[in-house]
Amino acid sequence: MKESNKSPIKRILTWLTKQTVLWSGLIIGIPVLLAALWIGILIWVWDTPEINKDFQDPANADLARDEKGALLAEAITHQFRRRLNDQGGWAPNDLVIFFDRNAACAAGVKGEPGGIWYVTTEIFEVFADRTARIGGSSQDDPRLTNAAKKFNYDPRRWGISWLGGADSQHEYELGFEDLDEYVKDLRAGNAVSNVRPDDLAALLTELGGQNGALDKIYSRLNDAAQVPPDERRHRVYSAICAAAVSADTLAVIRSAYGPDFEPDAVVALDEAIQDLYRVSQLYPPIVLNGADDSLWLVNHARNIAAMMSATFDPILDSARSLPGGEVAR
C-alpha cells in the first residue's frame, strides 16, 4: 500500500517502527562498538613478557667466557629493556594511561613492588658486584656500578629530564648506555667477565633463597587474600612479570654454565625454568579469589604462589651443588 493511501494512524505506526529499529540499532550497536574498541586497546597495551629462545640455546655452553658474561647481562635486563622501549616507554604507559596492570608489572602500584623493576634490580646488583672483576680485591667495573645505581632510581618518578625534572625513564636509559658499553667491550675483549661457580650460586640464592627477590613477591602473593581486590590484582600481575625476569636469568645460567652443575642440578634448573616461564604467560584479565573447594572460581594468587614456591627448592639445590653454594638458604 502506498504511503499516501495509508490512514494517519498507520503512517504514525510506520514512523514509530522505523524510529524503534533505529534506536534499537544504536542502543545495541554503540556498546558493541565501544566494547570492540576497548578490547583492541587492551590487546595493544597488554604487556606480555616474551620468551627469548636464544637464552635457552644449548650452544651457549660453547661460547667464550666473555660471550657468556655478555649474554647473562642481557638476560637479566631483557624484560626491563623491553618494557622500557615498548608501547610509548616506561613513564607514559605506566603512570598516565589507566591500565594499572602494566604499572603493577613494571613500576609497581601503591607500594607494591613492580615485578620487572624489582627483580631486575635485585639480581643486577649481585651481577655487577661479583662478576666483572678478577679476584676478591679488584675493583668492580665502574660502568656496571653506575648502571646498578641508575636502575635503582625510583620507578614511579616522572618528569621532563631536559628541564631538570626527575624522570625514571631517563635514568634507566642512562643506565643502559653504561651496560651496553660494558657488553660491547666485553664482546670485543676489552672488559672483564669472571663468572665463577660461587658467583652463580650467589645469583641463584638471590633468586630463590629466603628473603631473595622472588621470596618478597611470593610472600605478598601468599597474603593476597587479606588485601582488597585491587591490591590482590596488582600482586598477581607483579608476580607474573617477576617470573619472566627470573626465568630469563635461569635460562642463561642453565644453557651457558650448565657444565658447572651436577646432572641432578641441571634437571632441577630445567624444572624451575619451565615452571617460571609457565607463570610468565598467565594473564587473567580478572583476578579471582575463589575458595579452596570452589568448582567455578579459581584463586589466581594462591595458584601462582604455589607454582612459584615449587621452584625455590630446585633453584637452591642447584646453588648448593656449586662450590661456595653450601650457604644457600
Side-chain angles (χ1 to χ4, degrees), residues 179-329:
L179 174 62
D180 291 343
E181 184 180 331
Y182 165 77
V183 169
K184 181 181 178 181
D185 281 354
L186 198 54
R187 290 197 161 113
N190 299 322
V192 172
S193 174
N194 186 34
V195 182
R196 301 166 306 200
D198 60 315
D199 299 322
L200 295 174
L203 284 169
L204 291 170
T205 303
E206 179 56 45
L207 272 176
Q210 185 178 1
N211 297 321
L214 277 181
D215 189 47
K216 181 174 183 179
I217 302 292
Y218 164 77
S219 297
R220 289 175 175 267
L221 266 185
N222 225 17
D223 297 336
Q226 303 170 21
V227 301
D230 60 332
E231 291 184 41
R232 185 184 312 131
R233 185 171 65 250
H234 297 155
R235 294 184 183 194
V236 167
Y237 293 149
S238 175
I240 287 170
C241 292
V245 180
S246 305
D248 285 340
T249 304
L250 289 177
V252 168
I253 290 176
R254 161 65 177 93
S255 65
Y257 301 97
D260 292 343
F261 293 90
E262 297 173 358
D264 289 347
V266 170
V267 173
L269 279 176
D270 286 336
E271 293 174 354
I273 293 165
Q274 182 180 5
D275 287 343
L276 287 170
Y277 271 135
R278 187 154 61 100
V279 172
S280 78
Q281 300 304 299
L282 297 174
Y283 282 92
I286 301 174
V287 173
L288 303 177
N289 191 36
D292 290 343
D293 57 352
S294 172
L295 293 176
W296 307 107
L297 301 177
V298 298
N299 187 323
H300 288 106
R302 185 193 66 230
N303 289 354
I304 292 176
M307 293 168 68
M308 289 182 69
S309 66
T311 68
F312 293 164
D313 282 344
I315 292 172
L316 290 177
D317 286 345
S318 301
R320 295 186 189 108
S321 74
L322 296 167
E326 62 275 359
V327 297
R329 61 185 183 87

Side-chain angles (χ1 to χ4, degrees), residues 108-122:
V109 179
K110 297 179 181 177
E112 296 296 331
I116 288 177
W117 176 82
Y118 177 73
V119 176
T120 299
T121 53
E122 293 293 298

Side-chain angles (χ1 to χ4, degrees), residues 72-135:
L72 182 56
E74 290 172 340
I76 292 171
T77 57
H78 174 67
Q79 299 296 338
F80 192 18
R81 185 191 301 270
R82 181 192 59 79
R83 192 65 200 82
L84 195 64
N85 295 330
D86 282 0
Q87 300 165 347
W90 183 271
N93 200 32
D94 292 333
L95 306 185
V96 179
I97 293 181
F98 45 89
F99 296 98
D100 64 358
R101 199 214 69 84
N102 286 354
C105 181
V109 179
K110 297 179 181 177
E112 296 296 331
I116 288 177
W117 176 82
Y118 177 73
V119 176
T120 299
T121 53
E122 293 293 298
I123 303 172
F124 190 80
E125 281 195 1
V126 177
F127 176 84
D129 183 56
R130 297 186 62 112
T131 63
R133 52 180 169 173
I134 301 294

Side-chain angles (χ1 to χ4, degrees), residues 11-27:
R11 285 201 296 269
I12 291 173
L13 290 175
T14 301
W15 181 84
L16 288 174
T17 301
K18 290 179 180 179
Q19 299 305 310
T20 301
V21 172
L22 174 62
W23 284 107
S24 297
L26 291 175
I27 291 171

Side-chain angles (χ1 to χ4, degrees), residues 35-48 87 99 102:
L37 181 62
W38 174 262
I39 292 171
I41 294 175
L42 188 62
I43 291 172
W44 181 70
V45 303
W46 199 256
D47 183 27
T48 307
Q87 300 165 347
F99 296 98
N102 286 354

